[in-house]
Amino acid sequence: KTVICNLDYREPDFFAVRDQILNDSSSAILLLATEMQEEDIKPFSSSLAPIVVLDSWFEDMTFDSVLISNTDSVCSAVRGLIARGHKKIGYLCGSTRIKNFFYREEGYRRAMAGAGLEADPKFCFPLTPDMEGAYADMLFLLENGIEMPTAFFADNDMVALGAMRAFREYGYAVPDDISVIGFDDLEVSQYLTPGLTTVRQQISLKGQRAVELLLKHIAQPDLTKQEEILPLQLVERGSVRRLG
């Protein structure tokens, strides 16, 4: 039997529900920790049930985890922009700084530094990490005359797509004026004109590996804990152009 539970600290019964889950020794927990912080994960260390954490990792964490290669994949994607002649490359950062976004920023900065290029703060724009919010934030920046680079990496596809809508409305063509790379490969990304070049993560594979690890620990509780990092793929579509 599978039970899906959304823990929201704003709900009045948050602590009661969380503690009920942690004290149930007959269960096993797949914990989607994308938006969790260090202090959020600590209570789970007392769980009576085995736990596998999805999509995040924390210092001193005693659980198995299944992650994606955020930093390396973004570094490779940004290097691709550099190889296509882009030197002024900006960063559309999700304004809510979850751990995955920090690792993606590290990949962006590593690629720029490795090519001897500046990750110029004037081209790093915090945008609300959903399509409507990113659109409104970027439109505000454009209306205030903010200078644009020739390319952007965006923390996720929603940020990228919202920004692209603002670019179009303000008269910038993608990719002729501004190239854009996103992250996640949302289904809608392939149906746009141009299609969004993006880093694809295999959600189903991530879930499969997490369940396999959980079943292994149910059968063998004393197994050494492990961290598994899944590779990602850059899907090239029409939102990036070669300069020159």
Side-chain angles (χ1 to χ4, degrees):
K1 179 181 178 180
T2 301
V3 176
I4 298 175
C5 180
N6 179 32
L7 288 176
D8 186 338
Y9 71 90
R10 294 167 295 187
E11 295 295 329
D13 60 350
F14 167 77
F15 292 103
V17 174
R18 184 197 66 187
D19 293 345
Q20 181 182 0
I21 293 170
L22 297 182
N23 291 321
D24 183 1
S25 59
S26 66
S27 298
I29 300 171
L30 287 178
L31 181 61
L32 181 59
T34 307
E35 298 183 6
M36 295 179 72
Q37 304 298 327
E38 298 279 354
E39 61 272 17
D40 300 322
I41 199 74
K42 288 178 181 177
F44 287 84
S45 61
S46 63
S47 172
L48 300 180
I51 296 178
V52 171
V53 173
L54 273 165
D55 216 27
S56 200
W57 179 86
F58 304 90
E59 293 288 346
D60 303 321
M61 190 172 73
T62 58
F63 318 122
D64 280 354
S65 59
V66 179
L67 310 170
I68 53 176
S69 57
N70 284 293
T71 301
D72 289 345
S73 61
V74 171
C75 185
S76 178
V78 175
R79 283 173 179 164
L81 288 172
I82 295 168
R84 287 166 174 76
H86 295 275
K87 295 183 179 179
K88 293 182 177 181
I89 302 172
Y91 174 43
L92 302 178
C93 52
S95 56
T96 301
R97 301 306 289 161
I98 62 174
K99 270 184 169 288
N100 283 339
F101 291 172
F102 282 114
Y103 294 137
R104 291 169 198 175
E105 179 179 0
E106 183 180 338
Y108 160 74
R109 293 187 180 280
R110 180 189 296 175
M112 296 294 282
L117 300 174
E118 180 187 8
D120 195 331
K122 73 180 181 181
F123 296 139
C124 296
F125 305 137
L127 305 182
T128 304
D130 61 64
M131 278 188 256
E132 285 301 318
Y135 159 73
D137 293 344
M138 179 53 73
L139 198 60
F140 175 81
L141 293 171
L142 293 169
E143 289 171 345
N144 281 274
I146 299 296
E147 180 185 353
M148 291 289 114
T150 63
F152 281 108
F153 165 73
D155 266 336
N156 65 24
D157 284 0
M158 291 188 288
V159 167
L161 297 175
M164 287 168 65
R165 177 184 167 196
F167 295 152
R168 286 192 297 272
E169 288 194 13
Y170 206 74
Y172 285 103
V174 176
D176 291 345
D177 298 317
I178 301 175
S179 294
V180 181
I181 293 180
F183 196 108
D184 282 333
D185 194 26
L186 297 179
E187 186 174 2
V188 67
S189 300
Q190 63 185 302
Y191 297 117
L192 301 175
T193 303
L196 177 63
T197 293
T198 183
V199 179
R200 172 186 292 164
Q201 59 168 314
Q202 296 174 280
I203 301 294
S204 59
L205 177 61
K206 188 162 59 174
Q208 175 186 328
R209 290 298 301 133
V211 171
E212 289 170 353
L213 284 175
L214 195 57
L215 292 174
K216 194 179 292 185
H217 275 284
I218 292 171
Q220 299 174 270
D222 295 329
L223 279 177
T224 302
K225 300 297 186 292
Q226 67 183 73
E227 172 188 317
E228 181 167 349
I229 302 177
L230 301 178
L232 303 177
Q233 173 191 2
L234 181 67
V235 180
E236 298 191 50
R237 298 192 177 103
S239 63
V240 172
R241 72 177 286 246
R242 182 180 295 276
L243 297 184

